[in-house]
Amino acid sequence: MAMNYGYILAVMLIAAMCAPVSASETISDVEAKAITSRVFNALDCDTNGFVEPSEVDDHFAQLWHPIDIDRSRTLSPREYAKTHKKLDQKSADALFADADKNADGEVGVNEFGDHLRRMILILDTDGDYEISRDDV
């Protein structure tokens, strides 16, 4: 029997993304929507009206290049702010902190991809690992 490594990788990715988030890192639906509504069209690469976590990888460059202004392969808080709708400073700080997992004051490429996947899972209320335009 041939191994379907793509399927195995997808299952491992989903399992990793479903790891619990500590209370101090909890992101509200409003905050998650602020990010995903801005990037929904770029993420919905198959234009089926839904975004799955795997689509973050499929079209990540379309999201990254316009916001990484200085081409440093990291996002400063100012660059990161371009990813969300206007939020109060507390919400913007919470989103940046969620994205900046290593707390170095910048959001790296991998951190940003993981962050977007977490936002999708936060908004995935029916557990089907995808969100629709109506969800955001």
Side-chain angles (χ1 to χ4, degrees), residues 55-115:
E55 288 181 300
V56 171
D57 296 325
D58 294 344
H59 283 238
F60 187 78
Q62 288 180 339
L63 298 174
W64 185 262
H65 293 294
I67 57 176
D68 183 20
I69 297 165
D70 62 4
R71 301 294 180 247
S72 63
R73 303 218 12 105
T74 60
L75 300 179
S76 67
R78 190 181 115 249
E79 289 171 314
Y80 177 83
K82 293 182 179 293
T83 66
H84 58 77
K85 292 180 179 177
K86 299 284 183 195
L87 289 172
D88 61 67
Q89 193 61 46
K90 183 178 177 181
S91 293
D93 291 345
L95 282 169
F96 187 83
D98 180 81
D100 183 19
K101 284 300 183 189
N102 66 3
D104 66 352
E106 300 176 317
V107 176
V109 173
N110 292 333
E111 288 174 313
F112 188 64
D114 292 345
H115 174 64

Side-chain angles (χ1 to χ4, degrees), residues 22-61:
S22 71
S24 65
E25 298 171 348
T26 300
I27 299 297
S28 73
D29 284 359
V30 171
E31 293 162 342
K33 285 178 181 182
I35 293 291
T36 54
S37 66
R38 288 289 291 240
V39 300
F40 190 92
N41 290 335
L43 289 175
D44 185 21
C45 48
D46 59 9
T47 65
N48 68 352
F50 295 91
V51 172
E52 300 87 23
S54 62
E55 288 181 300
V56 171
D57 296 325
D58 294 344
H59 283 238
F60 187 78

